[in-house]
Amino acid sequence: MAGTVSLPMENLPSRITLPNVSPANSELTNRGAYVARTADCMACHRDDYSGGVPIETPIGNIYSTNITPSTRYGIGNYTEADFKKALRKGRAPNHQLYPAMPYPSYHGMTDEDISALFAYFQTVPIVDTPPEKTTHLPFSLNIRSLMLAWNVINVPSTENRSGLTNTQQRGEYLVNNLEHCGTCHTPRNLTQGLDKDRYLSGAPLGKWFAPNITPDNDTGIGLWSEMDIVNYLRTGTLDKRAYAGGPMAEAVAHSIRYLTDEDLIAMASYLKVVPAIKTDDYLIPVNVSRLPQPVSDSITYDLLEQKDYLAQAKAETVTSVDSRISSHDVNDSNSPKDLYLIHCASCHGVDGYAQPDARYASIVGLSSIRRVKTDALVGVIAFGAKGAFNTAPKMPGFSKDLSPAQIASITNYVRVTFGGLPNSDVSAADVTRVIKEKS
Ligand code: HEC
Ligand code: HEC
Ligand code: HEC
């Protein structure tokens, strides 16, 4: 049934209302503000669109530009046709843009959305200063005109599927063209374009890994219902299953959580029908009976109770050796549990349930601790996570304070205790390699 919405909407966590960023407040500019949110222009051009944010690429940092209507430093002289060319083809009036600006995804934006976006950008406050930093690549890499050949191979970055319902078509448009989920979740080909054959099947992303989000049951999100996907995308969490950290936390915070119910449902419905791709990054199914119970009903909310309980746990020195948790490399008197209590439990709780309301992640059952490939998890523990808002708590990195053997030991502890895995054998050598590769 094309276009019908089949999900129980009343169960949805409520939507974050879009701040009224456009003073003009007309229907057209408000629509443009919504398109700007869904396309997450702020992620790279800053909240005030003044630019200067570095985008890491294999050829070096490319800095975003000022896109306020300043005629000196921004896009005040752009016509709507210029704007359309920049979004769809990566052509600024005087030069070819690097694809750090996701025009290969925006290529498919509709004329109506581009017009609304253009009207909205006329109304954002002018920032009459140049970005703090601009792109300076060495001459040999200054390949702006070579990008034209690249574009022939890599633009557009996605293909439209046939046989979709109206709702799924809307979802496809959001996933591919506005939200550009594939720029993180689709692996790159040899030319750094998106590899269409491995669409949404997971890709490394700096210190993080954006997992497989195709509907494969063993390595992707095939076991998630549409409602699970909607809940995760709106709140960034899925109880005892998944958490949106790092770059995904930012995508949720700055863009995805503002989407209307209809648009979230459209994306979820579409993600269920993209081709399932099995990768070698298996998710070990969660065995709910092995997961710990919260220590008490109130402990996740009561900080003092949590503090007392932690003190008590630390006082009971752990002497028993748990054979499931490989810690053979640790040459000190602290057991894996001790290490966890000392370094992690103050934020994540003795029982792993943490303080979700204060944005300390509950780590019980998370997909990120149940993957066969553990590099991303080791990366989070070694380098930390900064949280999506200035006010969000940060996770410190432990690569300086703990030895690789200790980090391995904690990783194994977390996977077995809070992931419910039968065993885990991350070694000190694995940790050393990850730290070297991601530093
Ligand atoms: C993933 C990061 C990213 C996102 C998201 C993004 N941009 Fe950009 N954008 C860039 C970078 C980087 C540049 C500079 C590229 C270069 O110098 O070649 C740029 C350049 C531009 C330019 C060219 C300005 C000029 O004349 O130099 C325009 C216009 C623009 N972006 C508009 C937008 C709009 C509108 C959105 C949202 C629909 C958006 N961008 C989203 C990274 C991004
Ligand atoms: C800026 C990069 C980025 C963008 C854009 C992005 N993601 Fe993600 N996504 C990630 C990363 C990194 C993770 C892993 C987060 C973690 O483990 O804490 C993730 C996790 C997820 C997960 C959880 C998978 C699991 O097994 O736990 C889903 C579902 C997901 N993303 C869907 C989407 C969708 C849909 C979009 C577009 C609307 C999107 N993402 C856009 C980087 C991104
Ligand atoms: C000061 C508080 C703090 C400490 C100490 C801390 N964390 Fe975290 N941790 C956080 C916060 C906050 C997040 C969420 C980060 C985000 O939103 O990107 C997090 C996220 C995580 C995640 C989820 C990663 C993901 O995105 O899927 C894991 C796993 C984790 N921490 C494990 C640990 C381990 C193991 C330790 C001890 C070695 C530890 N943390 C110490 C605050 C802390």
Side-chain angles (χ1 to χ4, degrees), residues 179-181 183-185 205 208-211 213 221 224 232-233 242-245 247-248 251 256 267 271 367-368 371:
E179 286 286 351
H180 56 278
C181 315
T183 53
C184 296
H185 286 278
L205 193 68
W208 293 80
F209 187 87
I213 55 169
I221 57 171
W224 295 30
Y232 177 87
L233 292 177
Y243 180 79
M248 188 64 195
I256 306 174
M267 287 206 293
L271 287 173
S367 52
S368 57
R371 295 205 171 263

PDB file of all heavy atoms in Angstrom, residues 179-181 183-185 205 208-211 213 221 224 232-233 242-245 247-248 251 256 267 271 367-368 371, ligand 2:
ATOM      1  N   GLU A 179      20.036  13.279   3.994  1.00  0.00           N
ATOM      2  CA  GLU A 179      20.839  12.900   5.173  1.00  0.00           C
ATOM      3  C   GLU A 179      22.202  12.321   4.804  1.00  0.00           C
ATOM      4  O   GLU A 179      23.064  12.187   5.671  1.00  0.00           O
ATOM      5  CB  GLU A 179      20.065  11.883   6.026  1.00  0.00           C
ATOM      6  CG  GLU A 179      18.915  12.485   6.821  1.00  0.00           C
ATOM      7  CD  GLU A 179      19.404  13.288   8.024  1.00  0.00           C
ATOM      8  OE1 GLU A 179      20.613  13.241   8.328  1.00  0.00           O
ATOM      9  OE2 GLU A 179      18.573  13.966   8.658  1.00  0.00           O
ATOM     10  N   HIS A 180      22.388  11.952   3.582  1.00  0.00           N
ATOM     11  CA  HIS A 180      23.647  11.365   3.085  1.00  0.00           C
ATOM     12  C   HIS A 180      24.278  10.362   4.054  1.00  0.00           C
ATOM     13  O   HIS A 180      25.459  10.427   4.355  1.00  0.00           O
ATOM     14  CB  HIS A 180      24.647  12.450   2.649  1.00  0.00           C
ATOM     15  CG  HIS A 180      25.006  13.494   3.668  1.00  0.00           C
ATOM     16  ND1 HIS A 180      24.242  14.592   3.934  1.00  0.00           N
ATOM     17  CD2 HIS A 180      26.069  13.598   4.495  1.00  0.00           C
ATOM     18  CE1 HIS A 180      24.802  15.310   4.860  1.00  0.00           C
ATOM     19  NE2 HIS A 180      25.916  14.738   5.226  1.00  0.00           N
ATOM     20  N   CYS A 181      23.449   9.416   4.541  1.00  0.00           N
ATOM     21  CA  CYS A 181      23.930   8.388   5.478  1.00  0.00           C
ATOM     22  C   CYS A 181      25.114   7.609   4.896  1.00  0.00           C
ATOM     23  O   CYS A 181      26.024   7.190   5.618  1.00  0.00           O
ATOM     24  CB  CYS A 181      22.819   7.393   5.810  1.00  0.00           C
ATOM     25  SG  CYS A 181      21.205   8.131   6.171  1.00  0.00           S
ATOM     26  N   THR A 183      27.623   8.567   3.166  1.00  0.00           N
ATOM     27  CA  THR A 183      28.967   9.157   3.226  1.00  0.00           C
ATOM     28  C   THR A 183      29.732   8.594   4.420  1.00  0.00           C
ATOM     29  O   THR A 183      30.948   8.573   4.419  1.00  0.00           O
ATOM     30  CB  THR A 183      28.945  10.703   3.322  1.00  0.00           C
ATOM     31  OG1 THR A 183      28.116  11.074   4.416  1.00  0.00           O
ATOM     32  CG2 THR A 183      28.410  11.330   2.050  1.00  0.00           C
ATOM     33  N   CYS A 184      29.032   8.115   5.445  1.00  0.00           N
ATOM     34  CA  CYS A 184      29.712   7.435   6.557  1.00  0.00           C
ATOM     35  C   CYS A 184      29.558   5.915   6.475  1.00  0.00           C
ATOM     36  O   CYS A 184      30.486   5.190   6.785  1.00  0.00           O
ATOM     37  CB  CYS A 184      29.159   7.916   7.893  1.00  0.00           C
ATOM     38  SG  CYS A 184      29.454   9.657   8.217  1.00  0.00           S
ATOM     39  N   HIS A 185      28.387   5.420   6.085  1.00  0.00           N
ATOM     40  CA  HIS A 185      28.111   3.980   6.201  1.00  0.00           C
ATOM     41  C   HIS A 185      28.463   3.157   4.958  1.00  0.00           C
ATOM     42  O   HIS A 185      28.423   1.939   5.004  1.00  0.00           O
ATOM     43  CB  HIS A 185      26.633   3.749   6.555  1.00  0.00           C
ATOM     44  CG  HIS A 185      26.293   4.074   7.976  1.00  0.00           C
ATOM     45  ND1 HIS A 185      26.521   3.196   9.015  1.00  0.00           N
ATOM     46  CD2 HIS A 185      25.779   5.193   8.553  1.00  0.00           C
ATOM     47  CE1 HIS A 185      26.135   3.747  10.156  1.00  0.00           C
ATOM     48  NE2 HIS A 185      25.681   4.959   9.909  1.00  0.00           N
ATOM     49  N   LEU A 205      35.746   5.100   9.810  1.00  0.00           N
ATOM     50  CA  LEU A 205      35.507   6.545   9.835  1.00  0.00           C
ATOM     51  C   LEU A 205      36.444   7.138  10.888  1.00  0.00           C
ATOM     52  O   LEU A 205      36.079   7.275  12.042  1.00  0.00           O
ATOM     53  CB  LEU A 205      34.043   6.753  10.231  1.00  0.00           C
ATOM     54  CG  LEU A 205      33.431   8.114  10.050  1.00  0.00           C
ATOM     55  CD1 LEU A 205      33.304   8.435   8.572  1.00  0.00           C
ATOM     56  CD2 LEU A 205      32.052   8.163  10.701  1.00  0.00           C
ATOM     57  N   TRP A 208      36.526   5.858  14.406  1.00  0.00           N
ATOM     58  CA  TRP A 208      35.277   5.124  14.588  1.00  0.00           C
ATOM     59  C   TRP A 208      35.058   4.151  13.447  1.00  0.00           C
ATOM     60  O   TRP A 208      35.812   4.106  12.493  1.00  0.00           O
ATOM     61  CB  TRP A 208      34.093   6.101  14.674  1.00  0.00           C
ATOM     62  CG  TRP A 208      34.140   6.938  15.902  1.00  0.00           C
ATOM     63  CD1 TRP A 208      34.911   8.050  16.097  1.00  0.00           C
ATOM     64  CD2 TRP A 208      33.422   6.716  17.123  1.00  0.00           C
ATOM     65  NE1 TRP A 208      34.694   8.537  17.363  1.00  0.00           N
ATOM     66  CE2 TRP A 208      33.791   7.742  18.012  1.00  0.00           C
ATOM     67  CE3 TRP A 208      32.495   5.760  17.541  1.00  0.00           C
ATOM     68  CZ2 TRP A 208      33.270   7.835  19.302  1.00  0.00           C
ATOM     69  CZ3 TRP A 208      31.970   5.851  18.815  1.00  0.00           C
ATOM     70  CH2 TRP A 208      32.365   6.884  19.688  1.00  0.00           C
ATOM     71  N   PHE A 209      33.973   3.403  13.548  1.00  0.00           N
ATOM     72  CA  PHE A 209      33.534   2.566  12.437  1.00  0.00           C
ATOM     73  C   PHE A 209      32.031   2.750  12.325  1.00  0.00           C
ATOM     74  O   PHE A 209      31.308   2.633  13.311  1.00  0.00           O
ATOM     75  CB  PHE A 209      33.880   1.092  12.699  1.00  0.00           C
ATOM     76  CG  PHE A 209      33.602   0.226  11.502  1.00  0.00           C
ATOM     77  CD1 PHE A 209      34.570   0.070  10.513  1.00  0.00           C
ATOM     78  CD2 PHE A 209      32.377  -0.393  11.332  1.00  0.00           C
ATOM     79  CE1 PHE A 209      34.320  -0.700   9.377  1.00  0.00           C
ATOM     80  CE2 PHE A 209      32.113  -1.164  10.194  1.00  0.00           C
ATOM     81  CZ  PHE A 209      33.088  -1.320   9.224  1.00  0.00           C
ATOM     82  N   ALA A 210      31.559   3.086  11.129  1.00  0.00           N
ATOM     83  CA  ALA A 210      30.113   3.222  10.914  1.00  0.00           C
ATOM     84  C   ALA A 210      29.610   1.854  10.459  1.00  0.00           C
ATOM     85  O   ALA A 210      29.960   1.404   9.380  1.00  0.00           O
ATOM     86  CB  ALA A 210      29.837   4.293   9.866  1.00  0.00           C
ATOM     87  N   PRO A 211      28.812   1.168  11.294  1.00  0.00           N
ATOM     88  CA  PRO A 211      28.503  -0.237  11.025  1.00  0.00           C
ATOM     89  C   PRO A 211      27.588  -0.471   9.829  1.00  0.00           C
ATOM     90  O   PRO A 211      27.012   0.467   9.273  1.00  0.00           O
ATOM     91  CB  PRO A 211      27.813  -0.712  12.315  1.00  0.00           C
ATOM     92  CG  PRO A 211      27.635   0.453  13.184  1.00  0.00           C
ATOM     93  CD  PRO A 211      28.223   1.668  12.535  1.00  0.00           C
ATOM     94  N   ILE A 213      24.423  -1.121   8.009  1.00  0.00           N
ATOM     95  CA  ILE A 213      23.018  -0.833   8.328  1.00  0.00           C
ATOM     96  C   ILE A 213      22.080  -1.404   7.263  1.00  0.00           C
ATOM     97  O   ILE A 213      20.951  -0.953   7.105  1.00  0.00           O
ATOM     98  CB  ILE A 213      22.737   0.665   8.580  1.00  0.00           C
ATOM     99  CG1 ILE A 213      23.197   1.536   7.416  1.00  0.00           C
ATOM    100  CG2 ILE A 213      23.400   1.130   9.867  1.00  0.00           C
ATOM    101  CD1 ILE A 213      22.691   2.998   7.498  1.00  0.00           C
ATOM    102  N   ILE A 221      21.453  -4.713  10.461  1.00  0.00           N
ATOM    103  CA  ILE A 221      20.367  -4.428  11.395  1.00  0.00           C
ATOM    104  C   ILE A 221      19.087  -5.163  11.003  1.00  0.00           C
ATOM    105  O   ILE A 221      17.972  -4.695  11.263  1.00  0.00           O
ATOM    106  CB  ILE A 221      20.111  -2.909  11.550  1.00  0.00           C
ATOM    107  CG1 ILE A 221      19.814  -2.238  10.205  1.00  0.00           C
ATOM    108  CG2 ILE A 221      21.311  -2.232  12.204  1.00  0.00           C
ATOM    109  CD1 ILE A 221      19.332  -0.781  10.343  1.00  0.00           C
ATOM    110  N   TRP A 224      16.398  -5.596  13.604  1.00  0.00           N
ATOM    111  CA  TRP A 224      15.708  -4.426  14.145  1.00  0.00           C
ATOM    112  C   TRP A 224      14.348  -4.279  13.440  1.00  0.00           C
ATOM    113  O   TRP A 224      14.256  -4.420  12.227  1.00  0.00           O
ATOM    114  CB  TRP A 224      16.505  -3.149  13.872  1.00  0.00           C
ATOM    115  CG  TRP A 224      17.832  -3.030  14.539  1.00  0.00           C
ATOM    116  CD1 TRP A 224      18.682  -4.048  14.888  1.00  0.00           C
ATOM    117  CD2 TRP A 224      18.492  -1.813  14.910  1.00  0.00           C
ATOM    118  NE1 TRP A 224      19.829  -3.524  15.452  1.00  0.00           N
ATOM    119  CE2 TRP A 224      19.744  -2.164  15.484  1.00  0.00           C
ATOM    120  CE3 TRP A 224      18.161  -0.467  14.817  1.00  0.00           C
ATOM    121  CZ2 TRP A 224      20.647  -1.216  15.955  1.00  0.00           C
ATOM    122  CZ3 TRP A 224      19.062   0.481  15.279  1.00  0.00           C
ATOM    123  CH2 TRP A 224      20.286   0.103  15.855  1.00  0.00           C
ATOM    124  N   TYR A 232      15.849   4.563  17.580  1.00  0.00           N
ATOM    125  CA  TYR A 232      17.289   4.803  17.623  1.00  0.00           C
ATOM    126  C   TYR A 232      17.626   6.128  16.949  1.00  0.00           C
ATOM    127  O   TYR A 232      18.402   6.926  17.467  1.00  0.00           O
ATOM    128  CB  TYR A 232      18.020   3.653  16.930  1.00  0.00           C
ATOM    129  CG  TYR A 232      19.514   3.821  16.839  1.00  0.00           C
ATOM    130  CD1 TYR A 232      20.351   3.398  17.869  1.00  0.00           C
ATOM    131  CD2 TYR A 232      20.110   4.395  15.715  1.00  0.00           C
ATOM    132  CE1 TYR A 232      21.726   3.557  17.789  1.00  0.00           C
ATOM    133  CE2 TYR A 232      21.482   4.547  15.620  1.00  0.00           C
ATOM    134  CZ  TYR A 232      22.288   4.127  16.657  1.00  0.00           C
ATOM    135  OH  TYR A 232      23.653   4.285  16.575  1.00  0.00           O
ATOM    136  N   LEU A 233      17.010   6.364  15.777  1.00  0.00           N
ATOM    137  CA  LEU A 233      17.356   7.574  15.036  1.00  0.00           C
ATOM    138  C   LEU A 233      16.878   8.823  15.764  1.00  0.00           C
ATOM    139  O   LEU A 233      17.487   9.872  15.689  1.00  0.00           O
ATOM    140  CB  LEU A 233      16.772   7.522  13.622  1.00  0.00           C
ATOM    141  CG  LEU A 233      17.412   6.464  12.700  1.00  0.00           C
ATOM    142  CD1 LEU A 233      16.702   6.439  11.351  1.00  0.00           C
ATOM    143  CD2 LEU A 233      18.905   6.733  12.495  1.00  0.00           C
ATOM    144  N   ALA A 242      21.793  -0.810  21.337  1.00  0.00           N
ATOM    145  CA  ALA A 242      22.652   0.050  20.525  1.00  0.00           C
ATOM    146  C   ALA A 242      22.707   1.456  21.105  1.00  0.00           C
ATOM    147  O   ALA A 242      21.788   1.901  21.797  1.00  0.00           O
ATOM    148  CB  ALA A 242      22.154   0.101  19.089  1.00  0.00           C
ATOM    149  N   TYR A 243      23.816   2.133  20.801  1.00  0.00           N
ATOM    150  CA  TYR A 243      24.012   3.498  21.265  1.00  0.00           C
ATOM    151  C   TYR A 243      24.671   4.289  20.135  1.00  0.00           C
ATOM    152  O   TYR A 243      25.578   3.783  19.470  1.00  0.00           O
ATOM    153  CB  TYR A 243      24.921   3.492  22.502  1.00  0.00           C
ATOM    154  CG  TYR A 243      25.187   4.871  23.044  1.00  0.00           C
ATOM    155  CD1 TYR A 243      24.233   5.516  23.821  1.00  0.00           C
ATOM    156  CD2 TYR A 243      26.369   5.538  22.750  1.00  0.00           C
ATOM    157  CE1 TYR A 243      24.453   6.796  24.291  1.00  0.00           C
ATOM    158  CE2 TYR A 243      26.599   6.821  23.225  1.00  0.00           C
ATOM    159  CZ  TYR A 243      25.640   7.448  23.991  1.00  0.00           C
ATOM    160  OH  TYR A 243      25.856   8.712  24.446  1.00  0.00           O
ATOM    161  N   ALA A 244      24.219   5.509  19.933  1.00  0.00           N
ATOM    162  CA  ALA A 244      24.833   6.354  18.909  1.00  0.00           C
ATOM    163  C   ALA A 244      25.902   7.218  19.555  1.00  0.00           C
ATOM    164  O   ALA A 244      25.590   8.190  20.234  1.00  0.00           O
ATOM    165  CB  ALA A 244      23.773   7.234  18.245  1.00  0.00           C
ATOM    166  N   GLY A 245      27.150   6.839  19.377  1.00  0.00           N
ATOM    167  CA  GLY A 245      28.263   7.622  19.918  1.00  0.00           C
ATOM    168  C   GLY A 245      29.011   8.320  18.797  1.00  0.00           C
ATOM    169  O   GLY A 245      28.753   8.085  17.619  1.00  0.00           O
ATOM    170  N   PRO A 247      30.545  10.201  15.809  1.00  0.00           N
ATOM    171  CA  PRO A 247      29.947  10.875  14.644  1.00  0.00           C
ATOM    172  C   PRO A 247      28.439  10.618  14.532  1.00  0.00           C
ATOM    173  O   PRO A 247      27.701  11.480  14.043  1.00  0.00           O
ATOM    174  CB  PRO A 247      30.675  10.239  13.452  1.00  0.00           C
ATOM    175  CG  PRO A 247      31.908   9.629  14.011  1.00  0.00           C
ATOM    176  CD  PRO A 247      31.629   9.278  15.438  1.00  0.00           C
ATOM    177  N   MET A 248      27.970   9.439  14.958  1.00  0.00           N
ATOM    178  CA  MET A 248      26.526   9.169  14.869  1.00  0.00           C
ATOM    179  C   MET A 248      25.780  10.017  15.892  1.00  0.00           C
ATOM    180  O   MET A 248      24.668  10.491  15.627  1.00  0.00           O
ATOM    181  CB  MET A 248      26.252   7.675  15.083  1.00  0.00           C
ATOM    182  CG  MET A 248      24.818   7.265  14.830  1.00  0.00           C
ATOM    183  SD  MET A 248      24.330   7.499  13.089  1.00  0.00           S
ATOM    184  CE  MET A 248      22.561   7.370  13.244  1.00  0.00           C
ATOM    185  N   ALA A 251      25.307  13.276  14.221  1.00  0.00           N
ATOM    186  CA  ALA A 251      24.269  13.250  13.177  1.00  0.00           C
ATOM    187  C   ALA A 251      22.880  13.285  13.828  1.00  0.00           C
ATOM    188  O   ALA A 251      21.987  14.000  13.381  1.00  0.00           O
ATOM    189  CB  ALA A 251      24.433  12.020  12.287  1.00  0.00           C
ATOM    190  N   ILE A 256      19.182  14.394  12.687  1.00  0.00           N
ATOM    191  CA  ILE A 256      18.150  13.357  12.542  1.00  0.00           C
ATOM    192  C   ILE A 256      17.005  13.505  13.545  1.00  0.00           C
ATOM    193  O   ILE A 256      15.851  13.262  13.226  1.00  0.00           O
ATOM    194  CB  ILE A 256      18.782  11.945  12.658  1.00  0.00           C
ATOM    195  CG1 ILE A 256      19.948  11.803  11.653  1.00  0.00           C
ATOM    196  CG2 ILE A 256      17.741  10.863  12.407  1.00  0.00           C
ATOM    197  CD1 ILE A 256      20.731  10.516  11.790  1.00  0.00           C
ATOM    198  N   MET A 267      12.381   6.608   6.389  1.00  0.00           N
ATOM    199  CA  MET A 267      13.759   6.097   6.332  1.00  0.00           C
ATOM    200  C   MET A 267      13.821   4.659   6.831  1.00  0.00           C
ATOM    201  O   MET A 267      14.501   3.814   6.263  1.00  0.00           O
ATOM    202  CB  MET A 267      14.702   6.979   7.153  1.00  0.00           C
ATOM    203  CG  MET A 267      14.989   8.310   6.498  1.00  0.00           C
ATOM    204  SD  MET A 267      16.571   9.006   7.017  1.00  0.00           S
ATOM    205  CE  MET A 267      16.247   9.363   8.712  1.00  0.00           C
ATOM    206  N   LEU A 271      15.102   1.459   4.815  1.00  0.00           N
ATOM    207  CA  LEU A 271      16.279   0.684   5.246  1.00  0.00           C
ATOM    208  C   LEU A 271      15.956  -0.818   5.342  1.00  0.00           C
ATOM    209  O   LEU A 271      16.859  -1.647   5.290  1.00  0.00           O
ATOM    210  CB  LEU A 271      16.814   1.196   6.588  1.00  0.00           C
ATOM    211  CG  LEU A 271      17.539   2.541   6.530  1.00  0.00           C
ATOM    212  CD1 LEU A 271      17.869   3.039   7.940  1.00  0.00           C
ATOM    213  CD2 LEU A 271      18.817   2.460   5.688  1.00  0.00           C
ATOM    214  N   SER A 367      25.507  -3.127  20.644  1.00  0.00           N
ATOM    215  CA  SER A 367      26.078  -3.760  19.448  1.00  0.00           C
ATOM    216  C   SER A 367      27.582  -3.480  19.366  1.00  0.00           C
ATOM    217  O   SER A 367      28.341  -4.335  18.928  1.00  0.00           O
ATOM    218  CB  SER A 367      25.371  -3.229  18.201  1.00  0.00           C
ATOM    219  OG  SER A 367      25.380  -1.815  18.199  1.00  0.00           O
ATOM    220  N   SER A 368      28.008  -2.300  19.790  1.00  0.00           N
ATOM    221  CA  SER A 368      29.422  -1.950  19.622  1.00  0.00           C
ATOM    222  C   SER A 368      30.352  -2.816  20.481  1.00  0.00           C
ATOM    223  O   SER A 368      31.542  -2.888  20.205  1.00  0.00           O
ATOM    224  CB  SER A 368      29.652  -0.463  19.940  1.00  0.00           C
ATOM    225  OG  SER A 368      29.203  -0.165  21.245  1.00  0.00           O
ATOM    226  N   ARG A 371      30.639  -6.987  18.576  1.00  0.00           N
ATOM    227  CA  ARG A 371      31.108  -7.269  17.223  1.00  0.00           C
ATOM    228  C   ARG A 371      32.343  -8.155  17.244  1.00  0.00           C
ATOM    229  O   ARG A 371      33.164  -8.081  18.163  1.00  0.00           O
ATOM    230  CB  ARG A 371      31.422  -5.969  16.486  1.00  0.00           C
ATOM    231  CG  ARG A 371      30.181  -5.144  16.267  1.00  0.00           C
ATOM    232  CD  ARG A 371      30.285  -4.206  15.101  1.00  0.00           C
ATOM    233  NE  ARG A 371      28.961  -3.633  14.850  1.00  0.00           N
ATOM    234  CZ  ARG A 371      28.124  -4.104  13.944  1.00  0.00           C
ATOM    235  NH1 ARG A 371      28.466  -5.087  13.150  1.00  0.00           N
ATOM    236  NH2 ARG A 371      26.925  -3.560  13.802  1.00  0.00           N
TER     237      ARG A 371
HETATM  238  C1  HEC B   2      28.962  11.354  10.296  1.00  0.00           C
HETATM  239  C2  HEC B   2      28.894   9.942  10.033  1.00  0.00           C
HETATM  240  C3  HEC B   2      27.542   9.267  10.108  1.00  0.00           C
HETATM  241  C4  HEC B   2      26.377   9.646   9.492  1.00  0.00           C
HETATM  242  C5  HEC B   2      26.124  10.865   8.606  1.00  0.00           C
HETATM  243  C6  HEC B   2      25.412   8.633   9.824  1.00  0.00           C
HETATM  244  N1  HEC B   2      25.961   7.682  10.622  1.00  0.00           N
HETATM  245 FE1  HEC B   2      24.971   6.090  11.445  1.00  0.00          FE
HETATM  246  N2  HEC B   2      26.628   5.613  12.530  1.00  0.00           N
HETATM  247  C7  HEC B   2      27.862   6.232  12.437  1.00  0.00           C
HETATM  248  C8  HEC B   2      28.754   5.641  13.415  1.00  0.00           C
HETATM  249  C9  HEC B   2      30.215   6.028  13.650  1.00  0.00           C
HETATM  250  C10 HEC B   2      28.027   4.659  14.115  1.00  0.00           C
HETATM  251  C11 HEC B   2      28.506   3.812  15.299  1.00  0.00           C
HETATM  252  C12 HEC B   2      28.107   4.525  16.580  1.00  0.00           C
HETATM  253  C13 HEC B   2      28.582   3.858  17.853  1.00  0.00           C
HETATM  254  O1  HEC B   2      28.951   2.682  17.826  1.00  0.00           O
HETATM  255  O2  HEC B   2      28.549   4.526  18.882  1.00  0.00           O
HETATM  256  C14 HEC B   2      26.687   4.665  13.521  1.00  0.00           C
HETATM  257  C15 HEC B   2      25.643   3.818  13.933  1.00  0.00           C
HETATM  258  C16 HEC B   2      24.430   3.694  13.277  1.00  0.00           C
HETATM  259  C17 HEC B   2      23.418   2.697  13.571  1.00  0.00           C
HETATM  260  C18 HEC B   2      23.509   1.628  14.651  1.00  0.00           C
HETATM  261  C19 HEC B   2      24.010   0.329  14.073  1.00  0.00           C
HETATM  262  C20 HEC B   2      24.299  -0.708  15.116  1.00  0.00           C
HETATM  263  O3  HEC B   2      24.456  -1.875  14.727  1.00  0.00           O
HETATM  264  O4  HEC B   2      24.417  -0.376  16.294  1.00  0.00           O
HETATM  265  C21 HEC B   2      22.370   2.932  12.716  1.00  0.00           C
HETATM  266  C22 HEC B   2      21.072   2.150  12.632  1.00  0.00           C
HETATM  267  C23 HEC B   2      22.730   4.061  11.894  1.00  0.00           C
HETATM  268  N3  HEC B   2      23.972   4.503  12.252  1.00  0.00           N
HETATM  269  C24 HEC B   2      21.928   4.580  10.892  1.00  0.00           C
HETATM  270  C25 HEC B   2      22.212   5.777  10.212  1.00  0.00           C
HETATM  271  C26 HEC B   2      21.303   6.422   9.299  1.00  0.00           C
HETATM  272  C27 HEC B   2      19.946   5.884   8.891  1.00  0.00           C
HETATM  273  C28 HEC B   2      21.903   7.568   8.883  1.00  0.00           C
HETATM  274  C29 HEC B   2      21.339   8.651   7.998  1.00  0.00           C
HETATM  275  C30 HEC B   2      20.060   9.171   8.428  1.00  0.00           C
HETATM  276  C31 HEC B   2      23.202   7.625   9.536  1.00  0.00           C
HETATM  277  N4  HEC B   2      23.353   6.523  10.326  1.00  0.00           N
HETATM  278  C32 HEC B   2      24.106   8.656   9.354  1.00  0.00           C
HETATM  279  C33 HEC B   2      28.184   7.279  11.584  1.00  0.00           C
HETATM  280  C34 HEC B   2      27.265   8.021  10.831  1.00  0.00           C
END
